[in-house]
Amino acid sequence: MSQKADSRPSDRVEGLEGTVERFSFRSAETGFAVARFAPDDGGPPISIVGQLAQIAEGQHVRVSGTRRAHAKFGPQLEVEVCEAALPQSPAGIVSYLSSSLVKGVGPATAERIVAAFGADTLRVIEEDPERLREVKGLGRKRIAELVTAVRSQRDVQEVMVFLRTHGLGQALAVRIVKRFGRNASALIQADPYRLADEVVGIGFKTADQLASRLGIEKEAPARIDAGLLHVLGLAAREGHAFLRDDDIAARTAALLAIDETPIRARLPELERQGRVVKERIGDADAIYPIALRAAERGVADAIQSLLRVPGMTTRVAVDRAVEDFTAESGFAMPDAQREAVARAFASPFSVITGGPGVGKTTIVRAIAATCERSGLLLLLAAPTGRAAKRLSESTGCIASTIHRLLEWQAGINRFQRDAEHRLEGDVLVVDECSMLDVQLAYHLFRAVPPGMRVVLVGDVDQLPSIGPGRVLADLIDCDRIPVTRLSTIFRQGAGSRIVRAAHAVLAGELPQSGGEGDDFFFVEAKSAAHAKELVLELVTTRIPRRFGLDPLADVQVLCPMYRGDAGADALNVELQARLNPRGDELQRGSKLFRVGDKVLQVKNDYDLDVFNGDVGRVIAVDRADSLLRVRFDEREVEYPFADLDQLVPAYAITVHRAQGSEYPAVIVPLLTEHYVMLRRNLFYTAITRGRQLVVVVGVRKALELAVRTSGEVARNSGLAERLSISSSSA
């Protein structure tokens, strides 16, 4: 017989209400936690254990479980059910109102409110809030905040019951209420697939399981439609602007575990509803999400319009300006670079591409100098904040992110600069354009006025954009736009083994490890565990001691992937423990944030004005206001605890996350366990992120695989074809 069955009836606790005062232990991986619990009935505080990780300190809850006598920790209540609850007793209401769940109400205010209304307090707050004006010190604003908070908690309880009834955990309730409000349960029952699209942390499979419990059949149109749109969304995250009709049918059939026939039958209806677009691209029928098809067509149309405007050669004495620039800067510019500068002014739209050390930055400096001498207004931009900062430093001119250039308005979620309110200037140079996805390119190019020269600068051999499309590659491939391809390494890069290693990898050759005084090294490891130890030693000891670099500020570990013994996740845990072992900390899910930590923003947040790839340092954990404070360069950003999914530890990051950034020193673990990611453009991108030092740590077989595997997964994009067709029909 089980231990539970042996328990005496007196050991059983049902529906005990009280407050979670503090946690003494929490496991992010399992959800198991130990907390001090103060019952509302006036009994002594007790220790509760169980799946409590999603409950907050100060929260009023209702628990059910069994009392046990732990051999080491003494009496405990093993919790089987823990749910948020509104208190009933006056003492419980005081504790509830003064907890962190109700902002701005402290113990003194809570006691005054409960003294006025007693056990009826919560009913008054919800149903007759005007009576709260009777309490001294409560103004209209504070009353409104109090009413909203209490009603929100009631909504959470209702959704919690609904979710538990259908097999889902309590951790999602707050997010669901935040998104859908008081009608959350009704909206979810009407369309459970909305959860996957609109609530962070809920995937399609979870929504699909809920739909099944709600009685939605496997071949129901609503399920098939949701599956098709989900597959298109997954494809966009893979970089595809569209999927071919055969591909989308096969992928959706595998996802839903049904035949392709009813799926194909739904595609015309989805198109009729305006939720997808079907178009002939090449030799196949392409199924586009509405937004991506609009963006791709918009980019093509905008470029076509720009290409029709004559050049400005009569306004700019390029040759004289270049001569003056070379004399003042000391940079000798060969013909290819001079031609690139001339094209920047003669052509409405041009592209400059090439690897490290080939002179792209010199060309941009020459363009900037020519604009200054000619009285032309130059705009400089890049996709990320770090890339914009580098562009500004290299040219001596002001540069911004594309979002700031286009004046993103967070409150209304749109760009201020668009087809009606265009940019103002004569020449626009955009750096790091390998990172430019089709949607951002659409917003950028539609805001360019006729007559403005556009120059795109980037390395087409690097990893493509994280977002969908292959904009830079398509613009080069369409044969409509003047392209300067640079391949010669000039003297400023010729002495760097990093530059030579990058070009060797690009040519499919193994890079040569350096010796004393060099800046590129390969350190061979015996295994993944050995590689991890080598990386840790290099970051914490060897590189700081030999090169005088700060292990936190100057050294960046770039991994092919998050998983594995030497993946970013495992290395972050170890590096945090060694480089920042102590300090105020906050556990959120599997992530531990500690004051002093290096962290990375992983998506654009226009409200906070931080963008994907920005790196900052945690400066405070503010539990009173439920905020994590992070400093990015000279600016401080406050993150509500609920929004910490935007941040990841940044002692080690993936190569994809490092696009557009440079670091004084880079360490790259390269192992056969990373084989699915070991491709030439990923390794090449990793090498080119290092400015002073690059150290590759791994096994030679993985190094050879990374260099010789050139088959990058092809992205579905119709931009090059649209531009080519427009050319032939013009």
Side-chain angles (χ1 to χ4, degrees):
M1 188 175 291
S2 70
Q3 187 177 7
K4 181 177 178 180
D6 282 339
S7 300
R8 298 189 304 271
S10 59
D11 293 332
R12 185 70 191 169
V13 174
E14 294 287 351
L16 179 63
E17 294 191 13
T19 302
V20 176
E21 293 187 332
R22 66 175 182 270
F23 285 95
S24 57
F25 174 80
R26 278 203 248 195
S27 170
E29 279 70 34
T30 65
F32 179 81
V34 180
R36 178 183 170 91
F37 176 83
D40 286 351
D41 61 11
I46 58 175
S47 178
I48 59 174
V49 300
Q51 301 298 311
L52 310 170
Q54 300 300 328
I55 298 297
E57 289 184 352
Q59 189 165 359
H60 192 270
V61 297
R62 182 185 299 111
V63 297
S64 299
T66 305
R67 295 183 187 272
R68 306 285 188 198
H70 193 280
K72 182 176 180 181
F73 300 109
Q76 295 179 334
L77 175 62
E78 290 187 359
V79 175
E80 296 166 13
V81 176
C82 180
E83 57 189 1
L86 293 178
Q88 303 300 318
S89 69
I93 296 172
V94 169
S95 177
Y96 168 71
L97 293 181
S98 59
S99 73
S100 60
L101 296 177
V102 182
K103 270 190 171 183
V105 176
T109 304
E111 287 175 359
R112 289 200 303 273
I113 296 172
V114 175
F117 305 111
D120 200 33
T121 295
L122 295 181
R123 187 200 66 77
V124 170
I125 292 173
E126 288 197 70
E127 299 177 11
D128 196 6
E130 282 298 317
R131 291 188 61 192
L132 292 171
R133 298 296 302 278
E134 301 170 17
V135 179
K136 185 179 179 180
L138 278 184
R140 290 193 178 276
K141 182 179 179 182
R142 183 62 53 82
I143 289 172
E145 292 172 347
L146 183 59
V147 171
T148 299
V150 171
R151 286 176 176 171
S152 176
Q153 288 303 307
R154 177 80 70 181
D155 295 339
V156 169
Q157 289 181 73
E158 293 174 358
V159 176
M160 292 277 280
V161 172
F162 173 77
L163 292 175
R164 284 184 55 205
T165 302
H166 293 91
L168 297 180
Q170 60 188 12
L172 302 173
V174 173
R175 291 180 181 175
I176 291 171
V177 171
K178 183 178 179 181
R179 174 63 187 88
F180 297 120
R182 305 188 67 171
N183 297 320
S185 297
L187 292 172
I188 293 168
Q189 291 180 78
D191 182 7
Y193 293 103
R194 291 183 64 177
L195 292 174
D197 295 331
E198 302 180 42
V199 180
V200 174
I202 300 182
F204 178 84
K205 288 186 177 180
T206 300
D208 196 37
Q209 290 169 358
L210 176 58
S212 177
R213 293 189 180 100
L214 291 173
I216 295 178
E217 299 292 335
K218 291 187 70 173
E219 294 190 5
R223 182 172 188 253
I224 294 174
D225 292 353
L228 283 164
L229 295 173
H230 177 68
V231 164
L232 272 181
L234 289 177
R237 289 197 286 274
E238 294 170 10
H240 299 299
F242 63 82
L243 284 178
R244 292 173 175 82
D245 56 352
D246 289 342
D247 193 12
I248 191 173
R251 291 191 187 203
T252 307
L255 173 72
L256 302 181
I258 63 174
D259 190 72
E260 290 186 20
T261 302
I263 294 171
R264 292 180 179 278
R266 287 301 301 171
L267 278 171
E269 178 60 21
L270 273 183
E271 186 177 16
R272 188 189 68 77
Q273 294 174 8
R275 301 172 78 183
V276 300
V277 176
K278 181 178 179 180
E279 189 173 357
R280 193 73 176 177
I281 299 293
D283 58 355
D285 288 330
I287 309 299
Y288 278 90
I290 293 293
L292 293 186
R293 196 256 195 164
E296 196 174 89
R297 286 189 63 180
V299 170
D301 291 345
I303 292 175
Q304 289 294 338
S305 297
L306 293 173
L307 289 174
R308 297 190 188 103
V309 180
M312 58 168 64
T313 51
T314 56
R315 296 175 58 193
V316 184
V318 176
D319 290 342
R320 177 59 183 273
V322 169
E323 290 298 335
D324 290 344
F325 168 75
T326 57
E328 292 177 6
S329 65
F331 291 124
M333 295 185 67
D335 291 344
Q337 291 183 330
R338 291 172 180 266
E339 290 170 5
V341 176
R343 286 195 188 107
F345 298 97
S347 174
F349 205 106
S350 61
V351 172
I352 301 166
T353 187
V358 297
K360 298 191 300 294
T361 300
T362 300
I363 294 172
V364 176
R365 287 174 178 164
I367 291 171
T370 303
C371 286
E372 183 178 2
R373 294 172 189 278
S374 304
L376 300 176
L377 179 58
L378 172 67
L379 304 180
L380 293 174
T384 68
R386 291 179 71 88
K389 184 177 180 181
R390 285 174 44 223
L391 180 60
S392 182
E393 291 170 348
S394 66
T395 60
C397 302
I398 296 174
S400 69
T401 63
I402 294 174
H403 285 85
R404 292 193 180 101
L405 178 74
L406 298 178
E407 300 175 19
W408 175 261
Q409 303 294 302
I412 56 176
N413 293 328
R414 64 183 294 270
F415 290 106
Q416 189 70 23
R417 298 289 182 174
D418 53 23
E420 284 72 44
H421 306 89
R422 300 192 187 234
L423 296 169
E424 297 172 5
D426 299 298
V427 178
L428 169 64
V429 176
V430 185
D431 200 9
E432 294 288 355
C433 283
S434 61
M435 302 176 65
L436 196 60
D437 64 65
V438 70
Q439 288 175 295
L440 186 55
Y442 166 63
H443 289 293
L444 175 63
F445 297 148
R446 72 195 293 257
V448 175
M452 178 180 282
R453 310 293 91 179
V454 177
V455 184
L456 303 187
V457 183
D459 187 347
V460 75
D461 295 308
Q462 286 187 21
L463 288 169
S465 59
I466 294 176
R470 51 190 304 272
V471 173
L472 182 61
D474 280 344
L475 295 180
I476 292 172
D477 291 346
C478 75
D479 293 327
R480 293 289 322 282
I481 296 165
V483 177
T484 301
R485 297 176 183 268
L486 304 170
S487 57
T488 302
I489 303 174
F490 295 102
R491 62 179 176 85
Q492 54 265 42
S496 168
R497 195 174 286 272
I498 294 174
V499 172
R500 284 180 281 163
H503 285 272
V505 169
L506 202 56
E509 301 170 0
L510 290 175
Q512 298 301 308
S513 184
E516 187 70 29
D518 279 323
D519 55 10
F520 178 87
F521 300 90
F522 174 67
V523 179
E524 192 159 6
K526 300 174 183 176
S527 64
H530 185 216
K532 181 169 76 171
E533 289 306 315
L534 286 172
V535 170
L536 296 174
E537 183 183 357
L538 283 162
V539 174
T540 61
T541 306
R542 290 168 61 179
I543 289 177
R545 185 171 57 206
R546 179 173 173 183
F547 296 93
L549 296 174
D550 184 324
L552 267 173
D554 299 330
V555 183
Q556 184 62 60
V557 180
L558 300 181
C559 302
M561 57 200 303
Y562 282 103
R563 298 188 304 274
D565 286 343
D569 287 339
L571 286 169
N572 268 315
V573 172
E574 295 289 345
L575 287 168
Q576 183 188 51
R578 298 193 187 197
L579 294 175
N580 191 33
R582 290 174 296 277
D584 197 6
E585 62 187 35
L586 176 72
Q587 185 84 47
R588 275 298 177 268
S590 61
K591 294 180 290 189
L592 177 67
F593 297 102
R594 186 175 290 147
V595 172
D597 275 346
K598 181 164 64 171
V599 292
L600 177 83
Q601 177 79 12
V602 296
K603 60 183 179 182
N604 294 333
D605 188 316
Y606 308 112
D607 293 324
L608 295 178
D609 198 30
V610 286
F611 301 94
N612 185 11
D614 287 351
V615 174
R617 297 283 283 274
V618 177
I619 58 174
V621 177
D622 184 346
R623 289 183 174 80
D625 292 328
S626 299
L627 297 171
L628 189 76
R629 303 183 194 278
V630 180
R631 182 173 296 282
F632 293 92
D633 294 325
E634 302 304 317
R635 194 166 55 87
E636 184 179 314
V637 176
E638 296 180 341
Y639 287 85
F641 287 171
D643 294 338
L644 291 181
D645 58 322
Q646 300 187 62
L647 292 174
V648 297
Y651 299 95
I653 63 176
T654 62
V655 180
H656 284 85
R657 294 290 183 198
Q659 285 178 267
S661 299
E662 278 190 355
Y663 312 92
V666 163
I667 301 174
V668 186
L670 218 57
L671 299 156
T672 51
E673 67 181 34
H674 301 146
Y675 73 95
V676 294
M677 299 298 294
L678 295 182
R679 298 184 181 275
R680 187 180 300 165
N681 63 350
L682 182 136
F683 187 33
Y684 171 77
T685 301
I687 292 173
T688 57
R689 300 307 89 200
R691 192 163 59 243
Q692 301 173 30
L693 176 69
V694 173
V695 182
V696 180
V697 179
V699 297
R700 189 161 295 276
K701 183 177 180 181
L703 176 67
E704 294 172 350
L705 187 62
V707 170
R708 292 170 183 164
T709 306
S710 61
E712 179 64 24
V713 177
R715 291 187 167 197
N716 295 334
S717 169
L719 179 57
E721 181 171 332
R722 292 183 195 280
L723 288 167
S724 298
I725 290 173
S726 298
S727 172
S728 61
S729 61

